Amino acid sequence: MVDPESGLSLTIARIVQRLQGSSLHSQLERQARVSLHKPEIKLESLKEDIKDFLKTSGWEKKLQNAVYSELNVFPSPCHPAAPPEHMKEPLAYMRKAQRPISEQKELLNKWNEMGTDEPDLSLFRPVYAPKDFLEVLMNLRNPNYENGEQPSFRNHLGLIQVPLKVKDIPELKEDFSELGLNIGQLGIDDSAQVPPEFFENEHVRVGQKVLAEQDSAAAQQYVRQGCPTALRADLWALILNISNQPEDILYYEQLKSNVIQHDLLVDSLIYKDVKLTASNDDYYFVFEDYLYQVLLCFSRDTSVLEHFTYSSATPPKSYIRGKLGIEECAVFYPPNGVIPFHGFSMYVAPLCFLYHEPSRLYQIFREMYVRFFFRLHSISSHPSGIVSLCLLFETLLQTHLPQLFYHLREIGAQPLRISFKWMVRAFSGYLATDQLLLLWDRILGYNSLEILAVLAAAVFAFRAVNLMEVTSLAAAEAVLADLSTLKVMPLLQIFLFATVT
Amino acid sequence: MAGKVKWVTDIEKSVLINNFEKRGWIQVAENEDWNFYWMSVQTIRNVFSVETGYRLSDDQIVNHFPNHYELTRKDLMVKNIKRYRKELEKEGSPLAEKDENGKYIYLDFVPVTFMLPADYNLFVEEFRKNPSSTWIMKPCGKAQGKGIFLINKLSQIKKWSRDSKTSSFVSQSSKEAYVISLYINNPLLIGGKKFDLRLYVLVSTYRPLRCYMYKLGFCRFCTVKYTPSTSELDNMFVHLTNVAIQKHGDDYNHIHGGKWTVSNLRLYLESTRGKEVTNKLFDEIHWIIVQSLKAVAPVMNNDKHCFECYGYDIIIDDKLKPWLIEVNASPSLTSSTANDRILKYNLINDTLNIAVPNGEIPDCKWNKSPPKEVLGNYEVLYDEEMAQSDGPDRDMRSRSGQSTGIKGNRARDSGKPVLTTWK
């Protein structure tokens, strides 16, 4: 157990190390130097005066936001003696469950066989679809866990059989207290029947103030009640600490030229995914070209490799021909270490409604990925990881809608089989876009993906009456096939705060 | 009044027929006694023509005004709008105010247009002021993008100059007449593609003017990325948004049909441009629709047996200014996608609920004031009677958006004189 004192100093040391040498650091230095010319900076009180200057000119705020961003993204340090794998994933059996290297190599071999000139896309089956991934998760077991011989009603009857700790409704109510019945929400209290004076106008005013202050932490708190559409793009950028500096735009242009200069085999997977998903979507087909741009650049962006320090996954390596196994001849493949899977482009698509400058769109997506989305397709014990989300969903359903759960199980329609794809995609492509954005507001606000599991359970609760009448998996799928008319916030609110437990 | 409504149509579209049948109406032939006739524009011409026409009785309703072409023919629409503006100018109305360049501030919503061959010389004068501009040639009497082409050189329309010199009094058959308009080469692009707006407007009477706007309009996207490059002026997939054209493109998709809802457009614009400019844009769109109807109201034959559902085509440029391109008397009732079919079915349903109250045998003497409950997805766009009696406080304009319904009054902040405009 790490004592709080040394835990804090470890954190500080790590943050200082990460920010040192960053562009923010050099900007601060430059600003400090520039300030020396100002009359209010006196030699006797140099340090204090410069600090005051940085505070009033907004630079302290920028530093604050950067520190806050680091705290959000990186986990707290474990024991100083723990090896780096523990920061990626503390549980040994989870680490072992990662996709085996042999499987990755097999995929790469398959690619190497295909030509690059005119890829016949029909030859590329999607690398994996959510269904395959679910099979892997279902087979996870903790070898140290013994839950007794006789299965009883206390046992978990869902598909996920690992004993991770998940929250119950009282805990969720506390965590998501801002979604309570007596608190104003966008998505509920801005509907046509409610006069805007009651909540909406004031909420917009507060939002504009938060943006003026440029305070990440305040923004994160604010968006828990939803973002006004006109302010959302800027609020998300503030929370994700994306400032769109000239060097960021330059970096993006560099990636773009890489795309033009070199083909990657993974590009074909991206083309296929976009064509199969976003191009057929009523909301997102318009942005097809933007999706190619962003995703092709993304796969070449080696800065994404950084997130593997706290992700349980490991980027696959490719070896120069004939040098298999020789580490000096290894490169990460694709360069960003992320193999796109079926539906991957749907992570980007909703963002196109908010950002029409490609470089800003790109940065927002990249940050969303390394903060949130990567957890949805890697195997880890993190509370926002897909395994925990599945378990949370199943537990909520089994505990609060036991009749429904048993019925669906009886007819061979395990609920997770239906809701899994919603959660893996963070509901993108299933909800109407305005509703999806309200949901993602809360992901950012609470810095957690748990809300996806809660919403999935809430959807089942909402359609419970119809689901009780079905007698097959196909019929259950049909009842839940169309979520495009759902209003997300009332569902969440009722499930968390207005359901008799 | 007992008895079911007897209907006729010469447009065999399921969205129509299903709506008649679901009301239990009875299909009859044209030469029998009918109450409701959904007719094509050729038929309305016959019904009201001097030679073949006949009087309609009080219990008969048709879906076109006799001289709808004052609004729906490209050349007549422009002519009426120009006349309307001049009249307002003459009476000193603040609506006709011009800016320092001589452009109308509030009534400049149709691109500069000339009739060919009649105005050929005027056109040449205008063309020479901006020789690098692009112009679009459209045949007056055709639809679905047929016969449209772009030009950027006078030589490309030599044919019309020759004709105008030789025949000044020989009337051209209306099918040969063209309009030439300044091409909007800076359309607002989304995802790099050009799109236009299709909005449905129902007019139940012109004097007093009473019109409704359908909340569920849509955007039609080109399948090919937009470029103003002169090398692509001939590529209709870049420039013309008509579904009839786009559906022949390689990239046409049958699932979404290249269509976006207006609420998607609204969400996108609010998120990327802000709420004020988006509200202003939609206000302006409503404004130009109402002005176009007011422009033709004086010349319209306001036959009490008639109502009409128009398809308005609007293009938004990259400064977020809407332009009225044309008005269609017979908007397509063909469905290109499943969503399309649902939309058009509901459109006809709501239209019939307003035009034929209670689904009963109509009486054309009724006051054409349907109660709010039957409007369905229509919203009152402009009601001249109400505007005159209620005074300036009432906000008549509809707002289409993600949440349905009118959200109460909103002060108009564009500086236009509120009192006089909506009367």
Side-chain angles (χ1 to χ4, degrees), chain A residues 17 46 82 121 198 223 276 296 308 315 330-331 356 375 430 451 475:
Chain A
Q17 188 195 31
L46 190 63
L121 293 185
F198 280 14
V223 306
L276 286 180
L296 292 177
F308 285 109
V331 290
H356 57 196
R375 297 199 193 279
Y430 297 103
I451 198 119

Side-chain angles (χ1 to χ4, degrees), chain A residues 192 200 229 279-280 282-283 285, chain B residues 253 256 260 270 339 404 407:
Chain A
E200 200 182 343
T229 46
S279 296
N280 290 331
D282 287 339
Y283 294 92
F285 73 87
Chain B
N253 181 300
H256 51 70
W260 237 24
E270 276 186 19
N339 282 341
T404 56
K407 267 185 76 164

Side-chain angles (χ1 to χ4, degrees), chain A residues 190-192 194 196 200 229-230 233 275 279-290 352-356 433-434 437, chain B residues 190-193 221 225 251 253 255-260 264 267-268 270-275 339 402-407:
Chain A
D190 54 335
S191 76
V194 181
E200 200 182 343
T229 46
K275 275 278 180 249
S279 296
N280 290 331
D281 188 291
D282 287 339
Y283 294 92
Y284 306 124
F285 73 87
V286 172
F287 303 112
E288 190 176 321
D289 291 328
Y290 278 39
C352 297
F353 267 84
L354 302 176
Y355 304 99
H356 57 196
T433 305
D434 66 319
L437 293 172
Chain B
I190 300 185
K193 301 196 183 94
F221 280 86
K225 267 182 110 130
D251 289 317
N253 181 300
I255 296 179
H256 51 70
K259 290 182 176 168
W260 237 24
N264 276 349
L267 175 64
Y268 175 81
E270 276 186 19
S271 303
T272 54
R273 304 279 198 134
K275 205 157 180 149
N339 282 341
Q402 295 282 359
S403 50
T404 56
I406 304 175
K407 267 185 76 164

Side-chain angles (χ1 to χ4, degrees), chain B residues 355-396:
Chain B
V356 186
N358 300 322
E360 287 167 356
I361 294 185
D363 177 0
C364 68
K365 293 212 208 62
W366 80 293
N367 68 354
K368 302 212 178 187
S369 248
K372 223 157 49 152
E373 302 83 59
V374 312
L375 292 184
N377 287 312
Y378 274 109
E379 279 176 332
V380 176
L381 180 58
Y382 183 65
D383 186 329
E384 193 169 4
E385 242 173 15
M386 294 252 212
Q388 277 161 354
S389 63
D390 266 15
D393 296 338
R394 180 134 181 184
D395 181 11
M396 284 291 140

Side-chain angles (χ1 to χ4, degrees), chain A residues 9 12 36 53 55 147 191 217 222 242 262 269 314 330 404 416 475:
Chain A
S9 43
I12 294 175
L36 290 175
F53 168 73
K55 198 179 287 194
N147 67 349
S191 76
Y222 172 79
I242 304 287
H262 307 285
L269 290 175
T314 306
L404 177 63
L416 185 58

Side-chain angles (χ1 to χ4, degrees), chain A residues 204-252:
Chain A
V204 171
R205 252 192 297 272
V206 173
Q208 284 160 340
K209 239 185 131 226
V210 168
L211 279 174
E213 295 288 310
Q214 282 291 292
D215 186 329
S216 280
Q220 193 166 326
Q221 179 66 33
Y222 172 79
V223 306
R224 292 179 181 187
Q225 289 170 273
C227 291
T229 46
L231 305 180
R232 179 176 279 126
D234 288 334
L235 282 166
W236 285 20
L238 180 54
I239 296 172
L240 298 169
N241 209 27
I242 304 287
S243 51
N244 218 32
Q245 299 290 321
E247 58 257 27
D248 301 318
I249 302 177
L250 205 61
Y251 188 76
Y252 178 71

